[in-house]
Amino acid sequence: MKVLVTGGAGYIGSHTCVELLKAGHELVVVDNFSNSRVDSLEQVEKIAGRSVRIYDVDLLEKEKLAQVFGEHSIEAVIHLAGFKAVGESVEFPLKYYRNNLIGTLNLCEVMSEHEVYQLVFSSSACVYGIPKQTPVPETANLQAINPYGNTKRMLEDMLEDLSSSNENWRVAVLRYFNPVGAHPSGLIGEEPKGTPNNLMPYITQVAIGQLPRLSIFGDDYDTEDGTCVRDYIHVVDLAQGHVSALEHLSTGVHTYNLGTGRGYSVYEVVKAFEEANALSIPVQVVERRPGDAAVSYADPAKAERELGWRAEKGIFDMCQDAWRWQKHRQGGNG
Ligand code: WQD
């Protein structure tokens, strides 16, 4: 298929592009490079041994986006472009509503105008807020607790309404749990700007000596060791989930959790990282971070049943690949 990937230069996007190319699809990428660099796509081409058409387009510039659809016979879209930092979304909600909502609105309008009705949409476990039950099934209540999560939930609603209005739409909504790790080649990975907000990039920066120690946000939760439990999923598994979703699109909107179905506490992740890479991570326990759920992990059974997809990589792979990528970046090639 000829597939347009929005946000294809980003962390999830670059890994998804590799897997799409490996599966034989032809790619057109649009990205505004606000949180990514064009180099990542050069690395994608190197890993896959195939080329990608790249357009520097912001989804808020609808005319430019329409031009890309005019130039290519796009058959399906994987929509990953969006702002994703929870804390920043609390501070600057309008920035998130404008970018995520209007960008997706423009995309769907342009898709309709060009009669492209196949869409894989990047959503987040964030739409569940603090889950009342674990593992979390797709049918759990949606109660996002921050503007970022609200934009994803609103967009899920918009896609439902759109598909009700026209039965040509074939949409997969993918709710990611905690994507971590990097491509095993060490050539692509996550590139947080400034101090990382998320656990794994923070750990790798402590490991390389850029940060002195990891602050653990609370060890008095109602969990086995007192630290929060999450469903970490290797980004290559997640990327393969997009390929499966694309290849199983069917009429209507179908929503899937992408996770491993297994939770790890913060202490367990630190220990796994230390063992996988034979080094030690200094830690200190600090105050809880507002908005953190004690436990969140996926019930990924629906994705396995309907998409034939399941996460294969374990926590050691995640830790080793994250560390290989951090060292590669430090070497100045990343
Ligand atoms: C994981 C655990 C922290 C940093 C967020 C979004 C979610 C998705 C993934 C986009 C928690 C603890 C973290 C640190 C710590 N993103 N932690 N010290 O919050 O589960 O999910 O990212 O869609 O929507 O909400 O991920 O990596 O920030 O935290 O102790 O320096 O690590 O408290 O328990 P989170 P995270």
Side-chain angles (χ1 to χ4, degrees):
M1 259 192 269
K2 188 157 194 177
V3 184
L4 179 88
V5 183
T6 75
Y11 174 45
I12 314 287
S14 55
H15 291 83
T16 299
C17 286
V18 168
E19 298 306 317
L20 287 165
L21 289 169
K22 277 170 56 183
H25 299 289
E26 206 180 320
L27 296 193
V28 178
V29 165
V30 300
D31 205 302
N32 68 358
F33 301 102
S34 63
N35 192 27
S36 60
R37 291 186 302 157
V38 75
D39 320 18
S40 68
L41 289 167
E42 289 161 10
Q43 302 299 330
V44 165
E45 291 177 328
K46 198 154 132 188
I47 296 167
R50 293 185 49 207
S51 67
V52 176
R53 285 297 303 267
I54 304 164
Y55 290 86
D56 185 346
V57 169
D58 190 312
L59 297 186
L60 300 185
E61 302 168 312
K62 197 175 161 192
E63 292 309 312
K64 275 192 168 180
L65 181 64
Q67 270 175 25
V68 177
F69 277 77
E71 276 179 42
H72 298 275
S73 309
I74 305 291
E75 291 166 85
V77 175
I78 298 192
H79 176 37
L80 310 171
F83 291 155
K84 62 167 186 178
V86 171
E88 188 189 45
S89 81
V90 174
E91 206 178 337
F92 304 108
L94 297 182
K95 177 176 166 179
Y96 274 66
Y97 284 104
R98 171 176 291 279
N99 187 68
N100 294 3
L101 298 189
I102 299 181
T104 308
L105 190 62
N106 284 343
L107 174 68
C108 290
E109 284 179 348
V110 172
M111 286 177 71
S112 297
E113 283 155 22
H114 290 80
E115 297 179 356
V116 178
Y117 296 113
Q118 304 203 84
L119 175 67
V120 176
F121 174 64
S122 159
S123 188
S124 167
C126 218
V127 296
Y128 298 119
I130 309 273
K132 290 202 176 61
Q133 57 183 121
T134 44
V136 189
E138 288 84 355
T139 49
N141 280 347
L142 302 187
Q143 284 176 330
I145 55 165
N146 53 62
Y148 163 71
N150 281 327
T151 66
K152 293 292 182 187
R153 191 194 44 75
M154 287 177 186
L155 289 168
E156 289 192 8
D157 286 348
M158 185 180 92
L159 294 173
E160 288 281 355
D161 290 339
L162 186 58
S163 116
S164 304
S165 75
N166 179 338
E167 64 187 19
N168 287 323
W169 282 95
R170 294 148 66 92
V171 180
V173 168
L174 306 182
R175 293 182 182 150
Y176 312 154
F177 277 71
N178 289 62
V180 297
H183 196 268
S185 63
L187 295 177
I188 51 172
E190 192 171 9
E191 298 206 45
K193 284 199 172 137
T195 306
N197 301 308
N198 298 111
L199 181 62
M200 189 64 86
Y202 205 104
I203 291 177
T204 63
Q205 291 199 13
V206 171
I208 208 128
Q210 252 167 298
L211 294 166
R213 70 192 67 81
L214 171 71
S215 297
I216 295 181
F217 300 141
D219 67 351
D220 57 351
Y221 284 93
D222 185 13
T223 61
E224 210 151 288
D225 63 24
T227 64
C228 295
V229 170
R230 293 289 180 277
D231 189 336
Y232 299 93
I233 172 170
H234 196 292
V235 65
V236 171
D237 278 329
L238 189 78
Q240 287 168 354
H242 291 73
V243 179
S244 300
L246 176 75
E247 293 175 351
H248 289 80
L249 284 170
S250 64
T251 303
V253 178
H254 304 272
T255 302
Y256 301 98
N257 285 337
L258 296 188
T260 64
R262 180 180 188 321
Y264 286 90
S265 73
V266 178
Y267 277 135
E268 285 175 323
V269 173
V270 171
K271 191 160 166 274
F273 190 91
E274 292 181 327
E275 284 175 10
N277 298 309
L279 40 77
S280 84
I281 301 294
V283 301
Q284 64 178 352
V285 176
V286 300
E287 291 276 283
R288 290 183 177 197
R289 183 173 68 175
D292 266 340
V295 180
S296 172
Y297 60 95
D299 176 350
K302 188 180 174 196
E304 176 157 12
R305 206 169 51 240
E306 296 186 10
L307 306 177
W309 169 91
R310 166 172 96 192
E312 302 286 351
K313 291 174 181 275
I315 192 81
F316 268 52
D317 297 308
M318 302 180 208
C319 292
Q320 284 180 337
D321 293 339
W323 178 226
R324 186 181 303 107
W325 162 243
Q326 177 69 60
K327 286 185 291 186
H328 177 93
R329 286 179 71 202
Q330 202 68 10
N333 307 313

